[in-house]
C-alpha cells in the first residue's frame, strides 16, 4: 500500500542560520510528492532504502549513501523500506562550490556522524559548534565520491512509454516479457522498442537491467540473500551474479551490509 504525503521541511530562510536539519521516520511505501526547496538539501536515511526521482532520473539510495539536491531542484521520494531519515538543508550561498545536479554520493563515517549529531542534537549545540560543523559538512560534501547507478525516466511526452516504465519499476522480473507490458500500454512491441531508443537512449532490455540493478542493490543493502533476490528478478543465482559483476564491476556481496559498513 502506498501512503501519499507532502514534504514538510523546516522553516527555511526565517533566521540567520546557514544550516538546518530535519528528522523523520516513514513506513515502507510512503511516497513524498514532487517538490523543491529554496535551499540545497542532503537527503539521507540512517536506516532504509529510498527511491528518489530528480528531474528525469531515478536514484536508488541504500544506507551509506545519500542524495545531493541543489536549490530549486524538483524531487520526489518513495520509501522502498521503513526509513529513518536525517536531512540537512544548506543555505544557497554556502553551496556555490558544490554540484548543480542531483547526485547519489557515498557518505563517509565522518559525514554520517555530523549529519546524525546535527539532526538529533543540533539545537543543543553552541553557535560556534554549529558553524564549525557546517564548514566541515561542506568540505565533506565536496570530497564525497559520486555514485554511478542512475535510471533515466521518460519526460512525460508519451503516456505509453510512461506506463511501461512505471510497470517495470513495480515488477522488473525477467519472467515478464515486453509483449505483456505492451499489451497493457496499448502499443506494439515495435512502437515501444522505438520509443525506448528515441526517448531513453537505450533498448528495453538494457533499461530494465538498470532497474533490476537498482532494486537488487537496495535489497542487498537491506540484508536479503543473493539467491532470493536473483530468483525474484527471474535469474538463476549464478547468472544474476555474472550480470551484476559485468554491469557494476563488483560482486553482489559488495552491496551487502557488512561491505557497506566497511
Amino acid at each position: 500500500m502506498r501512503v501519499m504525503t507532502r514534504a514538510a521541511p523546516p522553516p527555511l530562510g526565517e533566521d540567520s542560520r546557514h544550516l538546518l536539519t530535519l528528522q523523520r521516520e516513514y513506513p515502507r511505501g510512503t511516497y513524498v510528492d514532487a517538490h523543491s526547496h529554496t535551499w540545497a538539501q542532503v537527503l539521507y536515511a540512517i536506516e532504509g532504502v529510498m527511491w528518489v526521482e530528480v528531474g528525469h532520473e531515478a536514484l536508488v539510495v541504500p544506507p551509506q549513501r545519500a542524495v545531493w539536491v541543489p536549490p530549486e531542484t524538483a524531487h520526489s521520494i518513495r520509501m522502498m523500506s521503513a526509513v529513518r531519515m536525517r536531512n540537512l538543508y544548506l543555505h544557497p550561498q554556502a553551496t556555490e562550490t558544490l554540484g548543480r545536479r542531483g547526485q547519489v554520493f557515498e557518505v563517509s563515517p565522518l559525514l554520517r556522524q555530523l549529519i546524525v549529531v546535527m539532526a538529533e542534537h543540533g539545537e543543543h549545540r553552541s553557535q560556534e559548534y554549529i558553524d564549525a560543523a557546517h564548514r566541515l559538512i561542506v568540505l565533506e560534501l565536496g570530497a564525497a565520491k559520486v555514485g554511478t547507478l542512475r535510471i533515466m525516466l521518460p519526460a512525460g511526452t508519451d503516456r505509453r512509454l510512461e506506463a511501461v516504465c512505471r510497470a517495470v519499476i513495480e515488477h522488473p522480473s525477467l519472467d515478464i516479457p515486453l509483449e505483456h507490458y505492451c499489451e497493457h500500454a496499448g502499443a506494439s512491441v515495435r512502437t515501444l522498442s522505438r520509443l525506448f531508443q528515441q526517448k531513453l537512449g537505450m533498448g528495453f532490455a538494457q533499461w530494465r537491467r538498470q532497474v533490476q540493478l537498482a532494486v537488487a542493490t537496495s535489497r542487498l543493502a537491506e540484508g536479503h540473500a543473493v539467491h532470493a533476490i536473483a530468483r525474484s528478478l527471474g535469474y538463476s543465482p549464478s547468472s544474476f551474479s555474472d550480470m551484476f559483476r559485468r554491469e557494476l564491476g563488483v560482486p553482489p556481496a559488495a552491496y551487502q551490509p557488512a561491505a557497506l559498513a566497511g
Side-chain angles (χ1 to χ4, degrees), residues 5-9 26 32-33 35 37:
T5 188
R6 292 186 177 182
Y26 295 100
V32 180
D33 273 333
H35 62 283
H37 310 290

Side-chain angles (χ1 to χ4, degrees), residues 62 83 235:
V83 166
Y235 291 86

Side-chain angles (χ1 to χ4, degrees), residues 13-64:
E14 293 187 8
D15 56 45
S16 60
R17 290 178 294 176
H18 282 187
L19 173 66
L20 296 172
T21 64
L22 181 75
Q23 56 176 322
R24 290 280 190 274
E25 297 191 6
Y26 295 100
R28 177 192 293 270
T30 302
Y31 178 78
V32 180
D33 273 333
H35 62 283
S36 62
H37 310 290
T38 56
W39 288 28
Q41 182 181 16
V42 176
L43 186 59
Y44 179 57
I46 58 175
E47 290 182 14
V49 179
M50 300 177 290
W51 173 286
V52 181
E53 296 189 7
V54 182
H56 301 307
E57 295 179 321
L59 311 171
V60 175
V61 194
Q64 306 305 324

Side-chain angles (χ1 to χ4, degrees), residues 43-221:
L43 186 59
Y44 179 57
I46 58 175
E47 290 182 14
V49 179
M50 300 177 290
W51 173 286
V52 181
E53 296 189 7
V54 182
H56 301 307
E57 295 179 321
L59 311 171
V60 175
V61 194
Q64 306 305 324
R65 289 169 173 78
V67 179
W68 167 250
V69 183
E72 306 291 358
T73 300
H75 57 287
S76 62
I77 313 160
R78 179 161 61 99
M79 313 306 164
M80 299 178 73
S81 66
V83 166
R84 295 178 62 201
M85 188 179 289
R86 302 292 184 267
N87 293 346
L88 301 179
Y89 298 84
L90 294 95
H91 193 281
Q93 291 180 354
T95 62
E96 293 176 353
T97 60
L98 301 175
R100 307 304 301 172
R101 179 188 185 190
Q103 300 276 15
V104 172
F105 63 91
E106 296 183 7
V107 178
S108 69
L110 174 57
L111 181 56
R112 183 188 191 280
Q113 192 65 20
L114 286 165
I115 293 173
V116 171
V117 168
M118 293 308 301
E120 297 182 359
H121 309 291
E123 70 273 16
H124 303 303
R125 303 294 182 175
S126 68
Q127 190 60 49
E128 182 181 14
Y129 183 100
I130 293 172
D131 290 343
H134 175 260
R135 290 193 297 271
L136 191 50
I137 285 168
V138 172
L139 289 173
E140 281 291 295
L141 289 172
K145 182 180 178 181
V146 174
T148 58
L149 186 56
R150 51 204 314 133
I151 302 164
M152 292 297 299
L153 298 173
T157 55
D158 192 290
R159 61 171 182 77
R160 298 165 298 179
L161 180 63
E162 175 82 17
V164 171
C165 288
R166 293 297 171 187
V168 172
I169 288 169
E170 293 296 329
H171 303 286
S173 174
L174 283 175
D175 295 332
I176 304 176
L178 176 58
E179 289 80 1
H180 172 84
Y181 294 116
C182 292
E183 180 181 346
H184 288 273
S188 67
V189 170
R190 182 177 179 180
T191 296
L192 264 299
S193 297
R194 175 176 53 80
L195 286 171
F196 268 95
Q197 289 290 349
Q198 287 182 347
K199 305 297 185 181
L200 299 177
M202 65 188 73
F204 169 78
Q206 182 182 356
W207 186 85
R208 177 167 63 179
R209 193 156 55 245
Q210 291 187 350
V211 175
Q212 291 171 335
L213 287 167
V215 170
T217 57
S218 70
R219 292 178 183 171
L220 287 164

